[in-house]
């Protein structure tokens, strides 16, 4: 027997799913799959195993569950297992999982352990070799992370206090009751907003977290509540939507979401009619020329998250690509946060648009050196609040990108703004959002805060 254990990271949403089983029994399970499920089918095929079980640790809020998609692709061979503890209700066929239920895959055994707090129904899975009584690992879902724990405030203020108390007992009575050498495999890594300040490492041990996880070290309930509720990062706007969709059951696509190529004339007609335009090219290309009214979110893994924050999934998306060959990768990233409604993409991209003699808009790109000399530019810092508090460009104004749409009316449209973030990626999103909403004097700062610090220019912190 060889135990097969694969941790599969979805960059951008920073989500960890797992494929695990025994190749001598030729069976395996997948836990918390993302919607682009080919990776699990290919991995199981590589190891000569059949996926017979698909598990969810909880109802996810940050990404679109791929559990139903994967079960459908397997043609009835696998069943979908979800927690029915904590009053959970689902709008799709499933197998119920209760605390203490066990599942065997050859020489590997999984045991369900009810771990509420992040959500009311949350279930973790202890991992055992055969009939041994001591687990070697735990799939901790969003209950327990590297350097952190799951946030308990995603269901609204009326449930946050109760869930924080349940999380406190989950951490102390379940996770810290395990032996020090048990390996923790969480559902998220650094960059996820499902917990405060999640660590960079992809796994940890109970012993390490016992010593260094500041939330695990809190022994007083009230102190724990204050810490976890006070430290929670801003809630992305797509979280409530994803929670609802995943509870009801995402629509099965059976492939990547459908999208058609469009001629310049048809794309222009849609744009002039107020279509939702997304340009996924690099900030420099976008700044040099783009279809008027476009939002720029570059085709990097972070596209998933910022599309979730800023775009409307009910309204068809029209795409402008760097290269038409990038389409499949872009669709996967958008699918991960629930975007399946597409109007089309501009065939031939901006080259076709320019050659057709169509009008295009521009956003000047300026260096930190130009910004440092400019006296008439207002730096607009669109980073997260904790980044801003850690230091910023002197005289800058702060407007977190995720909330920028709500703060547009507070900005003076006659002021020339220079948007910046850590590297320029989010700054370009912000600049395009301002431009789209009628701000004419907008510039973007490639390199942004990192370049400003590298140039050794003066910085300041909030008083």
């Amino acid at each position: 027997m060889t135990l097969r254990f694969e941790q599969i990271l979805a960059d951008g949403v920073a989500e960890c799913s797992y494929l695990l089983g025994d190749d001598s029994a030729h069976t395996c399970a997948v836990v918390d799959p993302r919607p682009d499920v080919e990776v699990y089918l290919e991995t199981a095929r590589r190891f000569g195993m059949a996926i017979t079980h698909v598990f969810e640790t909880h109802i996810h809020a940050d990404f679109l569950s791929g559990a139903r998609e994967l079960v459908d692709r397997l043609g009835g061979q696998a069943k979908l297992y979800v927690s029915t503890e904590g009053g959970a209700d689902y709008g799709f066929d499933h197998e119920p999982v209760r605390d203490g239920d066990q599942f065997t895959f050859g020489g590997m055994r999984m045991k369900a352990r009810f771990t509420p707090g992040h959500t009311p129904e949350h279930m973790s899975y202890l991992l055992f070799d055969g009939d041994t009584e001591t687990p070697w690992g735990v799939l901790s879902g969003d209950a327990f992370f590297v350097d952190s724990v799951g946030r308990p405030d995603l269901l609204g203020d009326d449930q946050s206090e109760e869930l924080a108390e349940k999380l406190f007992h989950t951490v102390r009575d379940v996770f810290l009751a395990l032996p020090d050498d048990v390996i923790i495999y969480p559902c998220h890594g650094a960059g996820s907003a499902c917990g405060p300040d999640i660590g960079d490492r992809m796994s940890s041990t109970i012993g390490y977290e016992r010593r260094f996880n500041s939330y695990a070290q809190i022994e007083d309930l009230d102190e724990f509540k204050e810490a976890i509720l006070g430290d929670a990062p801003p809630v992305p706007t797509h979280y409530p939507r994803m929670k609802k969709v995943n509870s009801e059951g995402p629509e099965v696509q059976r492939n990547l979401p459908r999208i058609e190529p469009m001629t310049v004339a048809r794309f222009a007609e849609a744009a002039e009619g107020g279509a939702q335009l997304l340009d996924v090219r690099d900030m420099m290309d976008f700044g040099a020329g783009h279809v008027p009214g476009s939002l720029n979110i570059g085709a990097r893994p972070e596209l998933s998250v910022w599309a979730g924050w800023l775009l409307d999934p009910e309204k068809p998306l029209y795409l402008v690509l760097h290269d038409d060959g990038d389409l499949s990768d872009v669709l996967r990233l958008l699918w991960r946060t629930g975007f399946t409604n597409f109007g089309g993409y501009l065939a031939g991209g901006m080259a076709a648009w320019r050659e057709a003699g169509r009008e295009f808009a521009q956003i000047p790109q300026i260096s930190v050196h130009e910004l440092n000399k400019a006296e008439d530019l207002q730096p607009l810092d669109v980073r997260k609040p904790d980044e801003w508090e850690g230091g910023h460009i002197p005289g800058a104004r702060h407007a977190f990108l995720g909330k920028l749409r709500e703060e547009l009316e507070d900005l003076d449209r006659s002021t020339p703004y220079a948007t910046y973030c850590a590297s320029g990626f989010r700054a370009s999103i912000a600049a395009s959002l301002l431009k789209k909403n009628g701000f004419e004097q907008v510039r973007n700062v490639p390199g942004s805060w990192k370049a400003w610090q590298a140039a050794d220019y003066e910085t300041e912190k909030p008083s």
Side-chain angles (χ1 to χ4, degrees):
M1 153 195 163
T2 298
L3 170 66
R4 298 296 185 178
F5 184 91
E6 295 289 311
Q7 183 185 60
I8 298 168
L9 174 66
D11 287 320
V13 291
E15 189 266 336
C16 299
S17 51
Y18 297 88
L19 184 147
L20 61 165
D22 178 354
D23 65 2
S24 65
H26 304 291
T27 60
C28 64
V30 172
V31 182
D32 290 333
R34 67 201 197 199
D36 44 316
V37 299
E38 291 85 359
V39 63
Y40 311 109
L41 303 173
E42 292 170 1
T43 303
R45 184 163 54 245
R46 176 160 48 92
F47 292 135
M49 299 191 297
I51 300 170
T52 57
H53 294 62
V54 179
F55 294 93
E56 294 275 57
T57 55
H58 64 291
I59 301 171
H60 301 285
D62 60 301
F63 72 101
L64 189 72
S65 167
R68 295 188 72 235
E69 189 76 29
L70 181 55
V71 167
D72 180 83
R73 299 281 187 96
L74 293 165
Q77 172 178 267
K79 292 184 178 181
L80 172 52
Y81 295 81
V82 293
S83 169
T84 51
E85 298 281 10
D89 188 30
Y90 304 89
F92 53 88
D93 292 338
H94 62 273
E95 298 293 321
V97 179
R98 309 288 295 189
D99 185 47
D101 286 352
Q102 300 195 51
F103 307 87
T104 301
F105 304 90
M108 193 209 74
R109 180 165 54 95
M110 294 173 57
K111 182 177 181 179
R113 190 67 200 271
F114 184 38
T115 49
H118 176 66
T119 62
E121 80 289 345
H122 196 286
M123 193 74 69
S124 298
Y125 289 92
L126 300 172
L127 308 177
F128 298 84
D129 279 335
D131 295 328
T132 58
E133 294 300 318
T134 302
W136 57 266
V138 57
L139 302 179
S140 59
D142 284 19
F144 203 69
F145 296 125
V146 174
D147 298 336
S148 187
V149 296
R151 62 188 303 167
D153 62 335
L154 293 180
L155 297 184
D157 293 341
D158 57 331
Q159 297 189 56
S160 295
E161 288 279 333
E162 179 184 355
L163 287 173
E165 182 172 348
K166 289 181 177 179
L167 182 64
F168 175 78
H169 292 295
T170 284
V171 171
R172 303 205 64 77
D173 301 341
V174 178
F175 291 106
L176 295 185
L178 295 171
D180 279 355
D181 57 358
V182 171
I183 306 170
I184 299 163
Y185 296 103
C187 186
H188 289 291
S192 170
C194 288
D197 299 320
I198 299 173
D200 293 333
R201 289 169 290 113
M202 301 294 291
S203 62
S204 187
T205 64
I206 293 295
Y208 188 93
E209 297 304 309
R210 196 190 310 276
R211 292 180 60 195
F212 299 109
N213 187 321
S214 61
Y215 300 99
Q217 293 173 343
I218 300 175
E219 298 181 358
D220 179 77
L221 173 58
D222 291 335
E223 183 183 346
F224 179 84
K225 286 183 179 180
E226 182 179 358
I228 190 61
L229 294 175
D231 293 347
V235 179
T237 53
H238 63 287
Y239 274 28
R241 170 173 58 85
M242 285 288 88
K243 178 74 73 172
K244 184 174 185 293
V245 170
N246 286 332
S247 177
E248 294 175 351
E251 180 181 355
V252 173
Q253 300 292 317
R254 295 191 172 90
N255 209 323
L256 289 174
R258 294 181 61 184
I259 185 171
E260 62 175 291
M262 299 179 73
T263 63
V264 169
R266 287 188 60 215
F267 199 88
E269 183 180 352
E272 291 163 3
Q276 185 172 220
L277 309 180
L278 175 63
D279 189 318
V280 299
R281 294 175 300 146
D282 175 78
M283 69 183 84
M284 304 296 281
D285 293 333
F286 179 84
H290 57 269
V291 178
S294 300
L295 189 71
N296 176 227
I297 311 178
R300 295 181 1 185
E302 295 89 338
L303 168 61
S304 304
V305 173
W306 290 112
W309 267 105
L310 300 171
L311 297 174
D312 182 356
E314 301 300 322
K315 193 175 179 181
L317 261 178
Y318 292 78
L319 303 180
V320 178
L321 307 163
H322 172 71
D323 184 280
D324 290 12
D326 300 335
L327 181 62
S328 294
D329 290 337
V330 169
L331 290 178
R332 289 188 185 94
L333 291 172
L334 291 168
W335 193 11
R336 289 177 188 174
T337 43
F339 292 91
T340 58
N341 185 6
F342 294 95
Y345 70 94
L346 177 59
M350 282 303 296
W353 184 270
R354 291 192 303 268
E355 290 163 7
R358 295 285 177 170
E359 179 185 358
F360 56 85
Q362 294 179 299
I363 294 178
Q365 310 288 303
I366 66 168
S367 69
V368 292
H369 311 291
E370 293 173 280
L371 178 59
N372 186 52
K373 296 174 184 176
E375 297 181 357
D376 61 337
L377 286 179
Q378 170 65 62
L380 185 65
D381 188 321
V382 299
R383 296 175 300 161
K384 293 183 295 184
D386 61 329
E387 293 176 284
W388 162 262
E389 291 164 5
H392 56 261
I393 293 173
R397 174 168 181 165
H398 183 240
F400 169 54
L401 175 58
K403 303 292 185 181
L404 182 57
R405 281 184 307 185
E406 303 166 17
E407 299 180 15
L408 290 177
E409 295 306 315
D410 297 330
L411 299 177
D412 183 357
R413 291 174 183 268
S414 65
T415 298
Y417 291 103
T419 57
Y420 79 93
C421 59
S423 65
F425 179 80
R426 288 172 289 173
S428 187
I429 302 174
S432 68
L433 184 60
L434 293 174
K435 184 78 171 181
K436 173 181 169 65
N437 283 276
F439 288 75
E440 293 300 329
Q441 300 186 76
V442 182
R443 291 162 177 77
N444 182 52
V445 186
S448 284
W449 179 244
K450 291 180 180 178
W452 185 271
Q453 288 185 302
D456 202 26
Y457 289 139
E458 181 183 353
T459 65
E460 67 179 20
K461 292 185 178 181
S463 58

